[in-house]
Amino acid sequence: MSDTSNATPRTRTDRRPAGPLALVKHLRGEGLTVIDAATHEPLGRIGDGRQPHALAVRPGGRWAYVPYMGSNALEILDCWTLSVADRVDAVGTAPVGAVLSRTGRYLFVSTYGGLPGDDRPGLAVFRTAGERIEPVAELPIGKAAGLAVGAGNDVWVALRDDDELLRIGATPPFDVLDRFAVGAGPQDLAHEPTRGLLGVNNADGDSVTFVDTLEATVLGTVPAPNPRGGTAVPGSDRWVVGDTEDDGLTVVDLESVRRGETDATATDRVSLGTPTAFPDVTPDGSLLAVDAYDDDRVAFLDPASLDVVARVETGSTPRHPRFSADGRVCYVPSVDADTVTVVDVDGVRAGDSNPIAATIDVPDGAAPAGCFRTDRGSYQ
């Protein structure tokens, strides 16, 4: 099924940091830019594929697995030595997602196109052993998009063309345990593991379906135009999702969804004057960051009042802001500026007119479009 014989030479960065890393994915350039997330210093580039689409980190934090949608490949990264340990060239066409079982024993890679041994798309499954992986199964279940792993060690898969969400066992024989009807064109999944909630963004249905992964039940589907990303606000019943084509955010009242109220009364709309995607919230739930497709500023909101606290100029087309685990800074990649801006959160709260802690350059033309942080414990 998979062939690891054509491993690329190791790609090393300049030095290894002692603290957390930020790995910035390149939309147009190769690989990822590695940043020391404690000092905000760039360490170099790691990886050789195009359009990295996900990051799955094995327990212990050393080994990370990155599918490249534009290269039809998977790389195994060594986060301790900051090098490429191995590369799998036969992973399927257009791999878009990667998750590990809760023990890290099995790696699941979703594909939009055909699997290595099958013309149909689905999941490629590997057994992991540090820097090496071994193909163990191919599941031709259909055009597989978003992935998540629940507390029960189930793999949840959005089937883009079938308007379904699948629950699959994360251990052999990897059986399909449940099929759930969702809205049209389910794409990315947003997972809130502490409450066992899963948001399914139905891209063609202008809606989000909410699933209780602990009970394996669908709670309901609410209207949300052009949904993308999604985050639960800690300490509240609010769920925030972007709108990639029109304006602002959809804010969902989860308690209403639990009561079966799934019409527009379960949502609020927040106008920001720009399409958005992939909002993020501080771990304590006190501040929300929202990117912008038609602006050069990131908006920061109070999640309780939904008021805009600040708009911070970061560079052209800011995408996918990501807070640190302590909530003190927010990393903001800007696609058309080839920079990552580090925003000081205390400065935002204090009304500082320029709360920029650092601006980090990435290679010209790389188009940074997202940020994985190793201190957050989940990756998007």
Side-chain angles (χ1 to χ4, degrees):
M1 286 180 284
S2 294
D3 177 11
T4 61
S5 60
N6 294 322
T8 57
R10 293 173 180 253
T11 302
R12 290 190 177 275
T13 58
D14 296 334
R15 56 195 181 279
R16 171 188 169 189
L21 300 174
L23 294 96
V24 178
K25 59 183 181 180
H26 299 160
L27 180 63
R28 292 189 273 273
E30 293 184 343
L32 307 101
T33 291
V34 183
I35 299 170
D36 183 329
T39 65
H40 316 311
E41 294 183 46
L43 303 175
R45 179 179 65 84
I46 186 172
D48 300 294
R50 300 188 68 84
Q51 295 181 357
H53 232 262
L55 180 79
V57 179
R58 203 167 190 271
R62 179 168 187 177
W63 308 107
Y65 309 91
V66 180
Y68 291 96
M69 187 176 183
S71 301
N72 299 330
L74 175 79
E75 285 185 338
I76 298 94
L77 308 182
D78 186 336
C79 293
W80 291 5
T81 64
L82 302 182
S83 64
V84 176
D86 203 359
R87 175 182 170 114
V88 180
D89 288 309
V91 71
T93 302
V96 294
V99 294
L100 286 157
S101 62
R102 291 183 63 82
T103 63
R105 181 62 167 163
Y106 295 102
L107 172 70
F108 299 81
V109 179
S110 58
T111 71
Y112 264 21
L115 292 162
D118 198 302
D119 289 338
R120 294 169 294 176
L123 291 181
V125 186
F126 302 86
R127 181 184 294 111
T128 71
E131 65 186 285
R132 300 299 175 187
I133 62 174
E134 173 191 359
V136 294
E138 290 184 4
L139 309 178
I141 54 176
K143 189 174 183 179
L147 293 175
V149 173
N153 204 32
D154 301 327
V155 180
W156 297 82
V157 189
L159 293 188
R160 186 74 170 83
D161 292 341
D162 298 318
D163 302 341
E164 284 187 324
L165 178 72
L166 266 58
R167 182 171 72 98
I168 295 174
T171 56
F174 311 111
D175 288 334
V176 175
L177 305 176
D178 282 305
R179 291 178 178 268
F180 301 94
V182 294
Q187 189 164 310
D188 55 312
L189 305 179
H191 185 215
E192 208 287 271
T194 59
R195 285 182 268 186
L197 285 176
L198 191 68
V200 184
N201 289 330
N202 305 311
D204 298 334
D206 288 331
S207 64
V208 178
T209 299
F210 289 96
V211 177
D212 183 334
T213 64
L214 301 177
E215 300 293 333
T217 58
V218 173
L219 299 175
T221 298
V222 300
N226 316 300
R228 199 71 191 273
T231 185
V233 178
S236 83
D237 274 319
R238 282 184 160 166
W239 184 282
V240 183
V241 63
D243 180 342
T244 58
E245 294 185 20
D246 293 329
D247 173 27
L249 300 167
T250 299
V251 182
V252 180
D253 179 6
L254 295 172
E255 183 57 33
S256 295
V257 176
R258 293 189 188 97
R259 292 196 303 262
E261 301 168 9
T262 56
D263 58 11
T265 61
T267 67
D268 287 314
R269 290 284 298 171
V270 178
S271 176
L272 294 172
T274 175
T276 67
F278 295 102
D280 194 27
V281 66
T282 53
D284 66 359
S286 65
L287 195 66
L288 182 73
V290 187
D291 56 8
Y293 279 26
D294 291 338
D295 202 337
D296 59 1
R297 299 172 299 169
V298 167
F300 290 91
L301 283 73
D302 179 340
S305 66
L306 300 179
D307 292 334
V308 175
V309 175
R311 292 181 187 261
V312 178
E313 186 171 342
T314 58
S316 183
T317 324
R319 295 277 182 91
H320 304 199
R322 195 70 169 150
F323 287 104
S324 57
D326 59 12
R328 297 178 63 182
V329 298
C330 184
Y331 271 42
V332 184
S334 294
V335 172
D336 295 315
D338 288 331
T339 60
V340 177
T341 302
V342 183
V343 180
D344 178 73
V345 171
D346 285 342
V348 171
R349 291 194 175 102
D352 188 338
S353 61
N354 185 31
I356 305 299
T359 299
I360 304 164
D361 292 328
V362 303
D364 289 344
C371 180
F372 307 116
R373 290 190 61 107
T374 62
D375 58 348
R376 283 294 297 273
S378 61
Y379 309 95
Q380 63 181 33

